[in-house]
Amino acid sequence: MAYKISKEEMAEELAKGKTVAQIGREYGISHSMIDYISHKYNLKSKFTKHVEERREDNRFVEITSKELAYTVGFLLGDGSMFQNNKDYIEVSQCIADKDVIEWMGEFLHTRPTYKYEFSERSKGTPVIRLRTKINYISKYLGDGLKVSRGFPSVCEEFEPYLLRGLFDADGHIVGGIRQDRGNFFCTVGFSHHKKCLEGVQKLILDRLGISVKVAQRKPPRTDYKISVGSFKNSFIIMDYMYADTEFMPFHRKYNKYKELLAIRKNYCLNSEKLKYVPGI
């Protein structure tokens, strides 16, 4: 049987990293036929190799690396689980923050999708989305509902990465010079549900000796928050999370942290009220 695409052409297209759907559109053949032909020629695409790698990926049985800890922390905050299969997960970010999703896609052997067109779901914001199967991820994220997710226990060595993953997904950092008073301020916080934040609260107390409060958000919000108003404590927490500057999947909040460090240093050098500023 003669096909519209030769074995050499198929191998060349697959080597370029194209999917069977993309090849099918270019040659006017259905993607299912392209898939059949590739198997007939015993050719495998990069995508097929990634599927096989995911099926055999048992790294999440136990958190034994900073990459695993960070990924679990990030998915704890922003990951959505499929109700019919708890090992399938989806996570998305706006295009401006694509670096973390692209890093995660490479780490999980999955190709992210980019959506630039308007959609009600993304409220008009272009997004990058990752959908994949992660064996044993339900061990850390529970039954899929965010309200029931706790903060996992990991080796002390990987706790900063787990906390940073959650912070990059569901945390915030605000700071600068107040226009009304001329004072420097910095606030770090986390938003999640009570069970998870109680674990964060215990970690910050045990490792950093800082007592923080878990408070409920104002209605109609049903989640909870941790907000650290003292800039001395805020920097202690950020220093703890960003101690490893060589590992940086997500840059936006780290860049804000560096910016605030520079503002704080300049403020302390030039402020006449230095003796009234705590933590210097």
Side-chain angles (χ1 to χ4, degrees):
M1 179 179 177
Y3 300 113
K4 292 183 179 180
I5 181 171
S6 67
K7 181 178 181 179
E8 292 74 19
E9 290 173 327
M10 176 74 80
E12 183 180 351
E13 298 293 348
L14 291 175
K16 294 178 182 177
K18 294 182 180 179
T19 65
V20 292
Q22 290 172 327
I23 298 172
R25 284 194 294 269
E26 291 181 9
Y27 285 84
I29 309 172
S30 69
H31 72 274
S32 57
M33 177 57 74
I34 290 292
D35 191 46
Y36 169 78
I37 296 171
S38 65
H39 282 85
K40 186 81 172 178
Y41 291 147
N42 197 27
L43 298 173
K44 291 184 178 181
S45 67
K46 293 180 180 179
F47 179 77
T48 304
K49 292 177 181 178
H50 288 169
V51 170
E52 293 177 352
E53 288 172 344
R54 290 200 300 272
R55 287 173 180 167
E56 299 172 1
D57 188 357
N58 295 320
R59 292 175 294 174
F60 286 85
V61 171
E62 186 178 354
I63 297 178
T64 55
S65 72
K66 57 188 176 183
E67 292 84 2
L68 291 172
Y70 180 87
T71 301
V72 168
F74 196 91
L75 295 178
L76 185 67
D78 263 357
S80 300
M81 300 177 73
F82 287 51
Q83 291 300 313
N84 56 343
N85 192 326
K86 304 301 183 185
D87 284 338
Y88 276 89
I89 197 158
E90 176 182 308
V91 60
S92 62
Q93 289 285 306
C94 65
I95 291 293
D97 294 334
K98 66 180 181 178
D99 53 347
V100 64
I101 301 298
E102 289 176 340
W103 174 86
M104 199 171 294
E106 184 177 346
F107 179 65
L108 298 174
H109 313 300
T110 303
R111 181 181 300 173
T113 58
Y114 300 80
K115 298 291 184 181
Y116 290 95
E117 66 274 11
F118 174 82
S119 69
E120 292 293 341
R121 182 178 180 181
S122 64
K123 300 179 181 178
T125 304
V127 298
I128 177 172
R129 182 171 290 116
L130 193 70
R131 291 179 179 176
T132 187
K133 180 180 181 180
I134 305 177
N135 298 328
Y136 304 103
I137 193 62
S138 58
K139 175 180 178 181
Y140 308 101
L141 304 190
D143 62 4
L145 298 176
K146 267 188 117 175
V147 68
S148 63
R149 295 179 187 177
F151 193 72
S153 296
V154 299
C155 175
E156 184 176 346
E157 175 187 357
F158 304 123
E159 287 176 344
Y161 302 98
L162 180 68
L163 186 64
R164 194 207 297 186
L166 180 63
F167 177 73
D168 283 349
D170 265 349
H172 68 267
I173 173 173
V174 181
I177 304 295
R178 295 186 186 276
Q179 296 299 319
D180 55 345
R181 301 178 183 177
N183 291 343
F184 175 79
F185 76 101
C186 178
T187 299
V188 166
F190 298 82
S191 298
H192 208 282
H193 288 278
K194 187 177 182 180
K195 186 176 180 181
C196 177
L197 291 186
E198 285 177 341
V200 173
Q201 180 187 44
K202 184 177 185 304
L203 173 66
I204 293 175
L205 180 62
D206 291 347
R207 300 292 175 242
L208 305 176
I210 298 173
S211 179
V212 295
K213 179 182 179 181
V214 177
Q216 189 166 12
R217 302 285 293 272
K218 294 180 180 179
R221 297 288 295 267
T222 59
D223 56 341
Y224 287 72
K225 67 176 181 178
I226 288 176
S227 186
V228 184
S230 161
F231 77 73
K232 175 184 176 181
N233 291 339
S234 294
F235 277 107
I236 291 174
I237 293 171
M238 288 190 291
D239 290 343
Y240 174 74
M241 293 190 295
Y242 292 119
D244 183 1
T245 56
E246 297 297 320
F247 177 74
M248 202 58 58
F250 187 48
H251 292 85
R252 177 168 59 84
K253 292 179 182 178
Y254 174 67
N255 291 339
K256 182 66 175 178
Y257 161 62
K258 290 196 300 181
E259 177 188 336
L260 291 175
L261 276 177
I263 294 174
R264 179 194 180 190
K265 182 178 179 181
N266 183 63
Y267 172 79
C268 293
L269 289 174
N270 297 287
S271 176
E272 296 178 357
K273 299 181 180 180
L274 181 60
K275 60 183 179 180
Y276 300 112
V277 181
I280 304 302

